[in-house]
Amino acid sequence: MIEVIRVKDYEAMSLYAARLVAAQVRLVPDSILGLATGSTPLGMYRELVRQHREEGLDFSQVTTINLDEYCGLPGTHEQSYRYYMDSNFFSKINIDPELTFIPDGMTSDIDACCEMYDALIDFLGGTDMQILGVGENGHIAFNEPHDYYFTGQTHKAELTANTIEVNSRFFSDPAEIPHFAISMGMRGIMSAKCILMLVSGAQKADAVYGLLRGEVTPRCPISILQLHQNVKLIVTDDAFVKIED
Ligand code: GLP
């Protein structure tokens, strides 16, 4: 079931999402949180950091599992997702770094790394709450559109030309833009007890349409969330325009 929470702008989306995450952590201090990167959840992380500093929100028992990481970027690279998480969130709260999991983009054995990641998700029993953003082409994590199937397992994903182009804004040297990533698959994402889907911006309106009105198809990866029992879509007005047509 998808509960739609419409908000007026990015700030409202971020506050709403942060309140839900904070409530989860307060109610279940040893929560397993599935975390996402990109520009979308930045405001949510900022608000969670504020709540930690000013309201004592305690992350000391929380475990986190991130969705994905670029292949070939070490965690010290400013565009790696490990660097993003450390600098925007983990270093600013009281989480145990040992309990923050992100695929290793520099692994010499990608298959083993993927298998271990799925074993970890299984061992933890899935996430209690999964934060998700969406790409302009409907991808979630780096599960890109595909003609025939959804990929269940954590896997090496080849990024589409569109995704590479959209993400190129973050790289000063185009030669550095990764073409591959390690991505959690649909099984890991769908194992979440609750999914918070954050969407903001007119460029995401097609993805919102695919989620709420489209058929379930790997051509629009976000559409698989129609099959999940507990999705909260926190969506800004400008991303909702195709639904109102
Ligand atoms: C990347 C990430 C996704 C994210 C998407 C959207 O491709 N792998 O997890 O949802 O970008 O990013 P943004 O929030 O910057 O629009």
Side-chain angles (χ1 to χ4, degrees):
M1 201 201 84
I2 303 174
E3 180 188 351
V4 179
I5 299 144
R6 277 186 63 180
V7 291
K8 68 174 187 327
D9 58 16
Y10 180 84
E11 198 51 32
M13 176 196 75
S14 303
L15 281 183
Y16 201 107
R19 283 189 192 126
L20 290 179
V21 175
Q24 169 71 35
V25 170
R26 286 200 168 92
L27 285 170
V28 185
D30 60 349
S31 286
I32 318 283
L33 299 181
L35 297 182
T37 50
S39 45
T40 305
L42 273 177
M44 180 197 76
Y45 290 132
R46 261 197 302 274
E47 170 61 13
L48 287 170
V49 169
R50 189 199 66 75
Q51 290 199 26
H52 166 67
R53 288 179 177 161
E54 295 175 16
E55 296 166 16
L57 183 60
D58 178 17
F59 290 91
S60 61
Q61 296 178 63
V62 167
T63 298
T64 63
I65 311 181
N66 264 75
L67 288 167
D68 44 18
E69 179 61 282
Y70 287 119
C71 289
L73 296 192
T76 49
H77 190 290
E78 285 190 13
Q79 294 309 329
S80 74
Y81 287 164
R82 165 53 77 182
Y83 188 91
Y84 169 117
M85 290 307 305
D86 285 346
S87 54
N88 291 305
F89 195 41
F90 299 150
S91 68
K92 299 179 172 175
I93 56 171
N94 64 334
I95 199 162
D96 177 352
E98 297 283 317
L99 298 181
T100 66
F101 296 97
I102 301 180
D104 175 8
M106 296 301 285
T107 181
S108 55
D109 188 341
I110 289 188
D111 289 346
C113 174
C114 292
E115 267 176 44
M116 274 171 53
Y117 215 64
D118 282 334
L120 171 72
I121 296 167
D122 287 347
F123 173 76
L124 294 171
T127 56
D128 293 308
M129 182 174 269
Q130 174 69 60
I131 311 301
L132 277 184
V134 63
E136 292 178 18
N137 64 1
H139 75 239
I140 50 177
F142 273 125
N143 292 277
E144 296 278 29
H146 192 280
D147 279 345
Y148 305 112
Y149 54 80
F150 294 107
T151 302
Q153 308 92 317
T154 298
H155 57 284
K156 180 177 177 181
E158 182 167 10
L159 310 189
T160 63
N162 171 269
T163 299
I164 292 169
E165 189 195 318
V166 171
N167 289 355
S168 66
R169 68 190 191 277
F170 298 114
F171 291 83
S172 48
D173 177 2
E176 274 199 334
I177 305 168
H179 288 210
F180 292 92
I182 297 174
S183 176
M184 191 187 287
M186 294 304 195
R187 196 164 63 89
I189 293 172
M190 296 292 278
S191 72
K193 296 184 183 72
C194 166
I195 294 178
L196 299 192
M197 179 82 232
L198 277 56
V199 191
S200 130
Q203 73 283 13
K204 306 284 178 77
D206 285 336
V208 171
Y209 188 90
L211 173 62
L212 295 177
R213 298 280 188 272
E215 58 175 328
V216 177
T217 166
R219 292 196 174 94
C220 179
I222 190 177
S223 66
I224 199 173
L225 300 184
Q226 293 177 33
L227 306 179
H228 193 277
Q229 79 285 4
N230 187 2
V231 177
K232 292 184 198 311
L233 168 67
I234 309 172
V235 55
T236 58
D237 286 337
D238 55 358
F240 207 72
V241 284
K242 299 229 160 141
I243 303 301
E244 288 169 326
D245 280 347

